[in-house]
PDB file of all heavy atoms in Angstrom:
ATOM      1  N   ALA A  24      25.510  15.581   3.444  1.00 98.00           N
ATOM      2  CA  ALA A  24      26.392  15.649   4.607  1.00 98.00           C
ATOM      3  C   ALA A  24      27.256  16.909   4.551  1.00 98.00           C
ATOM      4  O   ALA A  24      27.444  17.599   5.560  1.00 98.00           O
ATOM      5  CB  ALA A  24      27.268  14.401   4.677  1.00 98.00           C
ATOM      6  N   GLU A  25      27.755  17.216   3.374  1.00 98.00           N
ATOM      7  CA  GLU A  25      28.585  18.409   3.218  1.00 98.00           C
ATOM      8  C   GLU A  25      27.775  19.682   3.444  1.00 98.00           C
ATOM      9  O   GLU A  25      28.256  20.638   4.071  1.00 98.00           O
ATOM     10  CB  GLU A  25      29.219  18.421   1.824  1.00 98.00           C
ATOM     11  CG  GLU A  25      30.319  17.379   1.659  1.00 98.00           C
ATOM     12  CD  GLU A  25      30.858  17.304   0.238  1.00 98.00           C
ATOM     13  OE1 GLU A  25      30.474  18.158  -0.588  1.00 98.00           O
ATOM     14  OE2 GLU A  25      31.661  16.396  -0.033  1.00 98.00           O
ATOM     15  N   ALA A  26      26.532  19.702   2.958  1.00 98.00           N
ATOM     16  CA  ALA A  26      25.673  20.869   3.151  1.00 98.00           C
ATOM     17  C   ALA A  26      25.386  21.089   4.637  1.00 98.00           C
ATOM     18  O   ALA A  26      25.394  22.227   5.124  1.00 98.00           O
ATOM     19  CB  ALA A  26      24.374  20.687   2.378  1.00 98.00           C
ATOM     20  N   LEU A  27      25.155  20.017   5.350  1.00 98.00           N
ATOM     21  CA  LEU A  27      24.886  20.130   6.785  1.00 98.00           C
ATOM     22  C   LEU A  27      26.138  20.582   7.538  1.00 98.00           C
ATOM     23  O   LEU A  27      26.061  21.394   8.469  1.00 98.00           O
ATOM     24  CB  LEU A  27      24.384  18.793   7.338  1.00 98.00           C
ATOM     25  CG  LEU A  27      22.964  18.397   6.906  1.00 98.00           C
ATOM     26  CD1 LEU A  27      22.660  16.953   7.279  1.00 98.00           C
ATOM     27  CD2 LEU A  27      21.921  19.328   7.525  1.00 98.00           C
ATOM     28  N   TYR A  28      27.287  20.068   7.135  1.00 98.00           N
ATOM     29  CA  TYR A  28      28.548  20.456   7.773  1.00 98.00           C
ATOM     30  C   TYR A  28      28.795  21.956   7.589  1.00 98.00           C
ATOM     31  O   TYR A  28      29.131  22.662   8.542  1.00 98.00           O
ATOM     32  CB  TYR A  28      29.702  19.643   7.180  1.00 98.00           C
ATOM     33  CG  TYR A  28      31.046  19.965   7.783  1.00 98.00           C
ATOM     34  CD1 TYR A  28      31.382  19.518   9.064  1.00 98.00           C
ATOM     35  CD2 TYR A  28      31.985  20.729   7.074  1.00 98.00           C
ATOM     36  CE1 TYR A  28      32.611  19.813   9.629  1.00 98.00           C
ATOM     37  CE2 TYR A  28      33.220  21.027   7.630  1.00 98.00           C
ATOM     38  CZ  TYR A  28      33.528  20.561   8.905  1.00 98.00           C
ATOM     39  OH  TYR A  28      34.748  20.864   9.455  1.00 98.00           O
ATOM     40  N   LYS A  29      28.586  22.443   6.382  1.00 97.00           N
ATOM     41  CA  LYS A  29      28.788  23.864   6.085  1.00 97.00           C
ATOM     42  C   LYS A  29      27.795  24.736   6.859  1.00 97.00           C
ATOM     43  O   LYS A  29      28.116  25.853   7.262  1.00 97.00           O
ATOM     44  CB  LYS A  29      28.640  24.120   4.590  1.00 97.00           C
ATOM     45  CG  LYS A  29      29.802  23.596   3.753  1.00 97.00           C
ATOM     46  CD  LYS A  29      29.553  23.821   2.269  1.00 97.00           C
ATOM     47  CE  LYS A  29      30.681  23.219   1.432  1.00 97.00           C
ATOM     48  NZ  LYS A  29      30.394  23.335  -0.029  1.00 97.00           N
ATOM     49  N   SER A  30      26.579  24.205   7.058  1.00 97.00           N
ATOM     50  CA  SER A  30      25.557  24.993   7.762  1.00 97.00           C
ATOM     51  C   SER A  30      25.911  25.200   9.234  1.00 97.00           C
ATOM     52  O   SER A  30      25.372  26.102   9.886  1.00 97.00           O
ATOM     53  CB  SER A  30      24.193  24.305   7.655  1.00 97.00           C
ATOM     54  OG  SER A  30      24.135  23.151   8.486  1.00 97.00           O
ATOM     55  N   MET A  31      26.811  24.362   9.758  1.00 96.00           N
ATOM     56  CA  MET A  31      27.185  24.462  11.181  1.00 96.00           C
ATOM     57  C   MET A  31      28.635  24.896  11.374  1.00 96.00           C
ATOM     58  O   MET A  31      29.104  24.996  12.506  1.00 96.00           O
ATOM     59  CB  MET A  31      26.949  23.104  11.865  1.00 96.00           C
ATOM     60  CG  MET A  31      25.490  22.687  11.910  1.00 96.00           C
ATOM     61  SD  MET A  31      25.218  21.122  12.766  1.00 96.00           S
ATOM     62  CE  MET A  31      25.709  19.932  11.501  1.00 96.00           C
ATOM     63  N   LYS A  32      29.347  25.142  10.299  1.00 91.00           N
ATOM     64  CA  LYS A  32      30.757  25.503  10.372  1.00 91.00           C
ATOM     65  C   LYS A  32      30.912  27.000  10.610  1.00 91.00           C
ATOM     66  O   LYS A  32      30.196  27.814  10.039  1.00 91.00           O
ATOM     67  CB  LYS A  32      31.462  25.110   9.065  1.00 91.00           C
ATOM     68  CG  LYS A  32      32.977  25.283   9.087  1.00 91.00           C
ATOM     69  CD  LYS A  32      33.567  24.862   7.747  1.00 91.00           C
ATOM     70  CE  LYS A  32      35.079  25.058   7.748  1.00 91.00           C
ATOM     71  NZ  LYS A  32      35.676  24.710   6.429  1.00 91.00           N
ATOM     72  N   GLY A  33      31.868  27.367  11.461  1.00 82.00           N
ATOM     73  CA  GLY A  33      32.134  28.786  11.695  1.00 82.00           C
ATOM     74  C   GLY A  33      31.129  29.431  12.616  1.00 82.00           C
ATOM     75  O   GLY A  33      30.408  28.770  13.368  1.00 82.00           O
ATOM     76  N   LEU A  34      31.078  30.757  12.566  1.00 84.00           N
ATOM     77  CA  LEU A  34      30.170  31.499  13.427  1.00 84.00           C
ATOM     78  C   LEU A  34      28.735  31.410  12.911  1.00 84.00           C
ATOM     79  O   LEU A  34      28.483  31.578  11.726  1.00 84.00           O
ATOM     80  CB  LEU A  34      30.597  32.967  13.493  1.00 84.00           C
ATOM     81  CG  LEU A  34      31.948  33.247  14.166  1.00 84.00           C
ATOM     82  CD1 LEU A  34      32.299  34.721  14.014  1.00 84.00           C
ATOM     83  CD2 LEU A  34      31.908  32.845  15.639  1.00 84.00           C
ATOM     84  N   GLY A  35      27.833  31.177  13.833  1.00 89.00           N
ATOM     85  CA  GLY A  35      26.428  31.124  13.452  1.00 89.00           C
ATOM     86  C   GLY A  35      26.052  29.788  12.835  1.00 89.00           C
ATOM     87  O   GLY A  35      26.906  28.975  12.462  1.00 89.00           O
TER      88      GLY A  35
END
Side-chain angles (χ1 to χ4, degrees):
E25 288 175 7
L27 289 169
Y28 180 74
K29 288 177 183 175
S30 73
M31 295 182 281
K32 187 180 179 182
L34 294 174

